[in-house]
Amino acid sequence: MPELLTAAQMRAIEQAAIKSGAVTGLELMERAGSGVVEAIFEEWPELAQPFSADNTSTQSVKRAVILCGPGNNGGDGFVVARRLHELGWCVKVFLYGDAESLPTDARVNYDRWLELGVVDDASDLIGWTGVSPQLIIDALFGTGLSRVMSEELMKIHRYIAIHALPKIVAVDSVSGFDMDSGRFLGSGPLLYEPIADLVVAFHRAKCGHLLAHAPDYISKLRVIDIGLDDFETESEPIQLIDLEETLYPLSKAQQESPGRHKFSYGHALVLTGGAGKTGAGRLAARGALRIGAGLVTLGVPPCAQIEVACQITSLMLTRVERAEGLAKTLEDARINALCLGPGLGQDRARDLLPVALRDPKRAVVLDADALSAFADQPEALFAMLHENCVLTPHGGEFARLFPDLAEKLNSSTTRGSAYSKVDATRDAAKRAGCIVLFKGPDTVIAAPDGACSIHAAAYNRAAPWLATAGAGDVLAGFITGLLARGFAPMHAAEAAAWLHVECARQFGPGLIAEDLPEQLPKVLADLS
């Protein structure tokens, strides 16, 4: 899968490349700045049209405002300024900070720009009444920001946002966002979105490009190569869930083999709530069946048997009233995956969970009520969990199970690197001893050993209509179905997260939870 890097990992890779002698910091800066210009022209070909010196109309002159910061991100900005100037653009450059304090490579490019034009103080930008530019380049702070944005910088942010008619391009990051957590390190909330039409990142996307609120302020993210592929970081990168590697085993499994029968693909049991509360369980069961489990049975209390029987055809039904009833049902060793939580009810969850978790070889997905049932004593739940479990909390459920981690995650941030959703999910998985899928537009999946992946429904994967009642129940069913088929828990969670969003994307606006399982056959057919 593609890799996502933290700010520290990116710095380590750059330093490894420089120390090897394969490249200098100045060369990397030149590649970065030139790559930004190329990315801009590829995104908006009309801006690449040559400037005609015969036409002196101010409307025909291409203009750019470049905002450079006090670090190497600012150095990238000076390269962008120089490249645009060489192509005939009228470029206005502002510097935030003291030129004498610029890092060595950034200072070289500052001096190179001074041979072509002037540099004004960034404070002069506020109230500037120059001709509106076609481009504003945000090269104030990149991945290395570790301090709160001052009020002066907030004013600059507001200036950029107000002047939204030109294209706004950020170099590596929208300034002010921590690129480990995706959180804004500002002295107040950003009032405008998006604040960048394009972010051009180098070598790899950073975790913060996909987490928290950062995607809300970026219309498009583009990653460009600057020649660092031969260098690695010692720490393990985060994985970005993609199509090919995540779903190859599922696509391959779609090809039927001689001698296969329904039990070859597993038998999943989904426990439901009582009368009037079975819909969530039925959604989960339908998801498990559609994703390929050979059999799916609904475990229903007596009071809901008639209700469920009237609603199902391909799904099976068995009576499961109390813990002893579940124990009897689970004597069938062919049942290899369980789902508890959707619409289950917390009292019923507390009764059934000890039995459901008794066999560590049987995969179990815990969602919704199964997560909240032990909010008053989460350690009791953790003591029952095993490595074949998958927890699927949303933010509220995560806070009930891991209140200290949630508090840390939601605390105000004044310095980077902020505690991120990646950090919180990893810590939760280690504490629980199993896979944790922390739901949201920025879904994070982690294992107890620290392995971690992100699936963000953002940019070209955005699916805002997925925020609908019951969608999470279907996701729990997708995971359960893949576990029944024999997928490892981490892999099942990753594949289900990708397919869940893909179903929503293909269906489009107007989606309701029932549509997700019914869209899955088309998604799987397209993969084939």
Side-chain angles (χ1 to χ4, degrees):
M1 283 186 256
E3 296 176 346
L4 298 170
L5 300 178
T6 64
Q9 288 172 329
M10 185 64 192
R11 286 193 296 271
I13 289 172
E14 290 173 333
Q15 289 304 311
I18 293 168
K19 287 180 180 178
S20 73
V23 68
T24 66
L26 203 58
E27 288 171 330
L28 287 176
M29 193 170 287
E30 192 72 20
R31 293 175 189 177
S34 298
V36 170
V37 174
E38 292 173 10
I40 289 169
F41 290 164
E42 289 174 5
E43 185 68 22
W44 299 293
E46 67 274 15
L47 295 181
Q49 297 302 313
F51 167 68
S52 174
D54 296 332
N55 191 337
T56 58
S57 167
T58 58
Q59 297 301 316
S60 66
V61 176
K62 294 187 177 69
R63 301 176 184 274
V65 168
I66 318 287
L67 308 175
C68 297
N72 284 328
N73 197 249
D76 298 337
F78 291 121
V79 175
V80 173
R82 176 160 43 84
R83 291 300 186 198
L84 290 176
H85 178 85
E86 290 167 354
L87 293 170
W89 284 61
C90 178
V91 180
K92 183 77 171 175
V93 178
F94 293 90
L95 172 64
Y96 179 81
D98 181 8
E100 299 303 319
S101 300
L102 286 169
T104 302
D105 295 331
R107 180 56 193 257
V108 170
N109 279 304
Y110 170 86
D111 291 334
R112 287 176 177 175
W113 170 252
L114 286 181
E115 297 174 6
L116 304 173
V118 299
V119 176
D120 291 308
D121 190 276
S123 60
D124 296 334
L125 177 66
I126 310 303
W128 180 62
T129 57
V131 178
S132 294
Q134 283 89 356
L135 272 177
I136 294 179
I137 307 294
D138 174 3
L140 287 165
F141 296 99
T143 58
L145 181 66
S146 60
R147 56 176 170 172
V148 68
M149 296 280 280
S150 66
E151 183 56 37
E152 181 182 13
L153 283 167
M154 290 297 294
K155 289 179 180 178
I156 292 172
H157 256 297
R158 294 184 186 110
Y159 171 86
I160 295 173
I162 290 169
H163 290 73
L165 284 177
K167 310 295 185 185
I168 301 174
V169 178
V171 178
D172 219 14
S173 166
V174 175
S175 290
F177 281 90
D178 170 43
M179 282 293 96
D180 288 344
S181 68
R183 299 171 67 181
F184 184 63
L185 303 180
S187 55
L190 284 174
L191 303 179
Y192 308 92
E193 54 183 85
I195 207 168
D197 297 288
L198 175 68
V199 168
V200 182
F202 308 125
H203 182 55
R204 298 284 186 271
K206 313 309 178 293
C207 295
H209 287 132
L210 300 172
L211 294 175
H213 298 297
D216 296 336
Y217 292 90
I218 302 170
S219 290
K220 188 169 185 179
L221 173 67
R222 181 163 184 168
V223 181
I224 64 171
D225 177 25
I226 57 172
L228 295 174
D229 285 342
D230 293 335
F231 302 93
E232 298 179 355
T233 175
E234 293 183 1
S235 54
E236 190 70 23
I238 309 302
Q239 301 299 311
L240 175 64
I241 299 173
D242 73 344
L243 167 64
E244 186 173 352
E245 292 188 32
T246 303
L247 299 177
Y248 172 72
L250 179 60
S251 182
K252 186 177 180 181
Q254 295 299 112
Q255 304 168 15
E256 298 295 334
S257 304
R260 290 280 182 172
H261 53 81
K262 58 191 176 187
F263 285 107
S264 301
Y265 297 105
H267 184 180
L269 176 66
V270 179
L271 283 302
T272 79
K277 298 180 180 179
T278 66
R282 286 186 279 112
L283 283 171
R286 187 75 174 179
L289 191 64
R290 277 293 190 196
I291 212 163
L295 298 88
V296 180
T297 296
L298 284 158
V300 183
C303 64
Q305 281 184 265
I306 295 176
E307 174 185 316
V308 173
C310 291
Q311 299 285 342
I312 62 174
T313 303
S314 299
L315 298 168
M316 299 192 298
L317 183 153
T318 190
R319 176 172 171 165
V320 176
E321 183 171 9
R322 300 294 302 273
E324 56 272 18
L326 178 58
K328 183 69 175 176
T329 299
L330 293 181
E331 289 177 3
D332 184 349
R334 295 173 298 183
I335 298 174
N336 63 338
L338 301 179
C339 178
L340 293 89
L344 189 62
Q346 293 187 26
D347 290 340
R348 183 162 162 79
R350 278 191 292 269
D351 180 48
L352 298 179
L353 268 170
V355 175
L357 295 168
R358 189 174 292 166
D359 183 356
K361 295 180 181 179
R362 183 176 274 131
V364 181
V365 176
L366 300 184
D367 185 42
D369 288 333
L371 300 174
S372 298
F374 286 84
D376 58 340
Q377 46 179 342
E379 294 301 329
L381 174 61
F382 300 152
M384 292 187 283
L385 298 174
H386 52 74
E387 63 180 7
N388 284 315
C389 294
V390 179
L391 311 185
T392 60
H394 56 52
E397 292 157 351
F398 187 92
R400 286 190 280 276
L401 273 184
F402 308 98
D404 56 326
L405 302 183
E407 182 180 6
K408 193 173 178 181
L409 179 62
N410 297 323
S411 61
S412 60
T413 303
T414 58
R415 298 190 67 82
S417 297
Y419 189 73
S420 72
K421 192 171 182 178
V422 166
D423 299 322
T425 311
R426 276 178 158 165
D427 288 345
K430 184 176 180 180
R431 184 179 300 177
C434 65
I435 302 300
V436 174
L437 183 150
F438 192 171
K439 291 187 287 196
D442 54 347
T443 292
V444 179
I445 305 166
D449 65 0
C452 188
S453 58
I454 295 175
H455 185 274
Y459 310 120
N460 64 329
R461 295 282 297 160
W465 40 87
L466 192 53
T468 184
D473 304 318
V474 176
L475 175 60
F478 280 1
I479 299 170
T480 305
L482 292 175
L483 289 169
R485 296 195 65 152
F487 276 53
M490 183 76 172
H491 197 176
E494 290 172 337
W498 193 94
L499 288 166
H500 191 240
V501 170
E502 189 63 18
C503 288
R505 289 183 65 247
Q506 287 201 14
F507 188 93
L511 174 87
I512 58 176
E514 288 96 321
D515 300 321
L516 290 165
E518 308 318 307
Q519 190 68 26
L520 190 57
K522 183 178 185 306
V523 170
L524 295 176
D526 289 347
L527 293 177
S528 299

